[in-house]
Amino acid sequence: MLLVPLYEHPADRPDDWERLIGSAGRLHSVVLNPDSGPGAAPDERFAGVAERLREAGVPVLGYADTDYGRRPHAAVVQDLLRHRDWYGTDGAFLDQAASAPELLAHYGRLAVAARAAGARTLVLNHGVHPHPGYAELADLLVTFEGPWDDYRDAGPVPPWTADHPAQRFCHLVYAVPPGAPAAELAEARRAGVHCAVPGTGAHPWGTLPYALEATA
């Protein structure tokens, strides 16, 4: 299954959004990120694609940056409420999530607030394997985010992950060359959800995953 963070405006990349909506059956969820969060005001184009994704049965995750636990609880919750009220999101994607046990309580409170805000699907993007206690807080943990070269050479999967189904883990890989076996590697590393894109640089998530480009 694919979790797709397409950080492009629907007016700028309408064909990509159409392809994404048309691929609903292959999607775990889609991250909605108008402006490093919900933005300062509602955007009708994002509201439109969010509604169509929901109608197709795809969970729509509102993006909120947690800055590894440094961003105030109230600011994160405000983002989630705006996503819900403006775009009808039914999930949350908490980015730059901490991985150390010392911040489990903080993320536990965020998880409770996200559920109260209507998040039926909660994703924590650690980008690395976190302390196993985080698995009790969210539906999905992103345990790798980075370029293909790092992913290809990544170390072994921690033993505690075997206590959970592969569908509880996600790998987000960018700068993936054509033909690279990213999906196969994700499966071998027990990540039942993934996304592999060709994008590079400071904004790699402006491209569709190879798995959807291949259906064009």
Side-chain angles (χ1 to χ4, degrees):
M1 296 290 283
L2 299 170
L3 182 155
V4 181
L6 182 58
Y7 298 164
E8 287 288 342
H9 197 282
D12 297 330
R13 302 287 288 274
D15 291 345
D16 284 357
W17 281 96
E18 288 298 326
R19 187 173 302 150
L20 192 60
I21 295 165
S23 303
R26 306 181 63 186
L27 303 178
H28 172 278
S29 52
V30 171
V31 184
L32 203 73
N33 186 12
D35 187 13
S36 297
D43 185 313
E44 63 180 13
R45 298 298 292 268
F46 275 106
V49 294
E51 181 179 10
R52 292 178 63 196
L53 285 165
R54 290 195 314 276
E55 289 174 348
V58 179
V60 180
L61 313 178
Y63 175 98
D65 183 11
T66 70
D67 194 22
Y68 303 104
R70 292 186 291 263
R71 192 162 180 235
H73 174 95
V76 176
V77 173
Q78 182 183 58
D79 278 358
L80 298 180
L81 292 174
R82 285 179 172 175
H83 275 297
R84 181 196 67 187
D85 296 343
W86 295 349
Y87 306 115
T89 54
D90 49 11
F93 183 88
L94 301 186
D95 197 21
Q96 297 199 109
S99 58
E102 292 80 9
L103 285 168
L104 272 168
H106 172 72
Y107 281 90
R109 290 189 292 272
L110 285 177
V112 169
R115 301 293 189 190
R120 294 196 292 269
T121 301
L122 176 59
V123 181
L124 292 177
N125 181 15
H126 307 278
V128 298
H129 282 96
H131 183 277
Y134 286 95
E136 307 304 318
L137 305 180
D139 301 293
L140 184 69
L141 303 181
V142 179
T143 56
F144 180 90
E145 181 180 4
W148 167 254
D149 287 347
D150 291 349
Y151 189 54
R152 181 189 56 200
D153 299 331
V157 176
W160 68 264
T161 60
D163 297 334
H164 304 277
Q167 292 297 322
R168 298 287 309 283
F169 302 103
C170 175
H171 292 166
L172 302 177
V173 191
Y174 55 84
V176 180
E184 294 81 356
L185 197 51
E187 182 178 357
R189 292 175 175 166
R190 300 197 68 259
V193 183
H194 73 284
C195 188
V197 302
T200 60
H203 181 48
W205 302 113
T207 53
L208 285 175
Y210 279 112
L212 297 187
E213 290 286 4
T215 65

